[in-house]
Amino acid sequence: MKKFLLNASSGIGDIMFFLPAVLALKETYPDSQIGFLFRGDETTKQTVSSILSIAHNKIDDLQYYNNSNFIHNFKVLLQLKLQKYEYGMILKYDGQSKSVWAALILKLVGCKTIALDGYVKENQYIDNIVPVAKRENIHNVDRCFECLKYFGINSEYNENIYYRRIFNKEKIEKTYTQLNLGLSNEEFIVLCVGANKVSFKINGKYKSNDVKNWPIENWIVLANSLNKENIRVVLVGGKNDIKKIIDCKERLDNSILNLVGRMNIAESISILEYAKMVVGCDTGLMHCAASLNKRTLMLLGGITPIQAQGYGKNSESIYLHKQCSPCFGTGKDVFCNDPVCMKEISVENVLERILNIC
């Protein structure tokens, strides 16, 4: 039995990028064991578990490590070493993946061979790395599949058949039915109003910055404008987005369904399945919507569409090609004080694109 240990980022979008690779591994090696190791905490693990609860889950073991709990990290490394993982894979795509730590951890737990996509810097202490050819200008879903070439698994770029198989539609339907929202199938548009901050490790510490978001005032105007076009609008977002909405709530039309901060990740994904279209920034829910084969429109600033636009033919994006972009993963994004790449995307432009797509 082959044993694979994946070291990857734990953001919702990151998970959507590598889950197709997990499905392909399990299909090719049905008796294999697959573990997922990520940096995070119990809250992160709960989020990952929530996504996997409505997916065709092929991950057998979830483990996390962090920078502040040495005892926990030691226990995790010991547990992983006892599992005797044979192969390690590093499925990361941002600038931070140039660190040697991801590969070093996999070596410490006993992985005999470590496959990566060529973006991780090799080190004299890590002699069992198998770098797969580095590819520029391909989507992050395809980037993750680069590692699988070492195991004889190939996929056409932009045509990954496993991406559409991530979610279990029966589980999604059950979750959605329990919400009892009274929304008719494909008669509403979902606006994902939030996006996580970008982060970059500098001198051993992580610095974060809120540069992926579109101004909340724009979302309010867009929602009201769609409402005037007799299009039902549903707002979704995380708990971190609640305050933004509260500050502007009085300007939001009463017929707009505001679910920001009220749904867990599995419930939010189930709502996307029944939407006519989903609009948002570079955020995990947008990639979930793309996997569900929904029509999506992403507003992108510091990262290019070819890397992060929703995967597949039903996905479109608005990207202004600013001189300072792309900056994601370079460290420059965490110091940006004026994200014009997002601010200058106009409501009129977004509204026009939505109406044309619908």
Side-chain angles (χ1 to χ4, degrees), residues 187-311:
E187 289 190 358
F188 61 94
I189 286 180
V190 172
L191 303 184
C192 302
V193 301
N196 286 335
K197 295 179 179 181
V198 298
S199 63
F200 200 84
K201 194 172 185 179
I202 301 173
N203 296 326
K205 296 183 179 180
Y206 281 93
K207 180 178 175 60
S208 301
N209 195 11
D210 186 11
V211 291
K212 294 200 297 183
N213 273 302
W214 201 39
I216 190 63
E217 295 81 6
N218 290 357
W219 287 117
I220 299 298
V221 175
L222 178 62
N224 290 335
S225 299
L226 289 170
N227 190 62
K228 290 179 181 179
E229 297 286 341
N230 295 317
I231 297 175
R232 186 75 191 274
V233 178
V234 177
L235 305 183
V236 298
K239 293 181 179 180
N240 294 333
D241 304 309
I242 295 176
K243 187 178 185 304
K244 300 176 185 177
I245 287 293
I246 289 178
D247 293 342
C248 304
K249 192 175 181 179
E250 67 280 358
R251 289 185 279 137
L252 195 64
D253 192 279
N254 292 330
S255 62
I256 295 170
L257 182 57
N258 176 19
L259 299 178
V260 175
R262 294 168 53 189
M263 302 287 114
N264 62 35
I265 183 61
E267 291 168 339
S268 295
I269 293 172
S270 75
I271 293 171
L272 302 182
E273 165 65 8
Y274 292 89
K276 183 177 184 180
M277 181 179 178
V278 185
V279 184
C281 303
D282 178 17
T283 183
L285 282 178
M286 293 300 299
H287 297 291
C288 294
S291 175
L292 293 168
N293 206 25
K294 310 307 293 185
R295 285 170 288 186
T296 62
L297 178 64
M298 291 184 69
L299 315 184
L300 301 175
I303 191 167
T304 63
I306 199 167
Q307 289 178 286
Q309 177 177 296
Y311 192 81

Side-chain angles (χ1 to χ4, degrees), residues 123-242:
N123 185 279
Q124 60 178 332
Y125 301 111
I126 306 174
D127 54 9
N128 54 345
I129 285 181
V130 179
V132 180
K134 178 178 175 180
R135 302 287 183 180
E136 299 282 3
N137 298 322
I138 62 173
H139 195 279
N140 290 323
V141 171
D142 296 321
R143 282 280 308 279
C144 287
F145 253 75
E146 287 292 291
C147 283
L148 300 193
K149 289 182 177 180
Y150 177 75
F151 304 101
I153 303 173
N154 293 283
S155 174
E156 295 292 330
Y157 291 160
N158 301 315
E159 298 289 343
N160 192 297
I161 61 174
Y162 299 96
Y163 190 70
R164 303 281 180 242
R165 303 178 186 175
I166 291 176
F167 290 110
N168 185 317
K169 296 299 182 74
E170 291 182 2
K171 291 181 179 180
I172 284 181
E173 181 181 2
K174 182 179 179 180
T175 302
Y176 182 76
T177 302
Q178 291 173 343
L179 294 177
N180 195 26
L181 296 175
L183 296 171
S184 300
N185 186 20
E186 293 201 344
E187 289 190 358
F188 61 94
I189 286 180
V190 172
L191 303 184
C192 302
V193 301
N196 286 335
K197 295 179 179 181
V198 298
S199 63
F200 200 84
K201 194 172 185 179
I202 301 173
N203 296 326
K205 296 183 179 180
Y206 281 93
K207 180 178 175 60
S208 301
N209 195 11
D210 186 11
V211 291
K212 294 200 297 183
N213 273 302
W214 201 39
I216 190 63
E217 295 81 6
N218 290 357
W219 287 117
I220 299 298
V221 175
L222 178 62
N224 290 335
S225 299
L226 289 170
N227 190 62
K228 290 179 181 179
E229 297 286 341
N230 295 317
I231 297 175
R232 186 75 191 274
V233 178
V234 177
L235 305 183
V236 298
K239 293 181 179 180
N240 294 333
D241 304 309
I242 295 176

Side-chain angles (χ1 to χ4, degrees), residues 39 65 67 94-96 99 101 198-208 329-331 333-335:
R39 185 173 64 85
Y65 63 94
N67 299 333
D94 58 52
Q96 295 288 261
S99 167
W101 281 107
V198 298
S199 63
F200 200 84
K201 194 172 185 179
I202 301 173
N203 296 326
K205 296 183 179 180
Y206 281 93
K207 180 178 175 60
S208 301
T330 66
D333 46 0
V334 296
F335 292 102

Side-chain angles (χ1 to χ4, degrees), residues 328-340:
F328 180 72
T330 66
K332 296 178 182 178
D333 46 0
V334 296
F335 292 102
C336 177
N337 296 318
D338 187 24
V340 292

Side-chain angles (χ1 to χ4, degrees), residues 25-91:
L25 272 177
K26 205 70 170 184
E27 182 177 289
T28 306
Y29 305 104
D31 297 327
S32 63
Q33 177 179 325
I34 301 176
F36 173 30
L37 176 66
F38 56 92
R39 185 173 64 85
D41 52 26
E42 280 297 326
T43 301
T44 312
K45 187 175 182 178
Q46 290 173 10
T47 300
V48 176
S49 298
S50 183
I51 295 172
L52 296 178
S53 71
I54 56 173
H56 292 289
N57 181 23
K58 304 300 180 182
I59 295 177
D60 303 295
D61 185 29
L62 289 177
Q63 297 286 353
Y64 69 87
Y65 63 94
N66 58 52
N67 299 333
S68 59
N69 193 333
F70 175 80
I71 295 177
H72 170 83
N73 293 345
F74 179 79
K75 289 180 179 178
V76 167
L77 290 176
L78 182 59
Q79 290 174 16
L80 292 174
K81 194 170 184 65
L82 291 174
Q83 292 292 330
K84 297 182 179 179
Y85 283 103
E86 184 179 3
Y87 302 102
M89 280 188 284
I90 302 173
L91 303 179

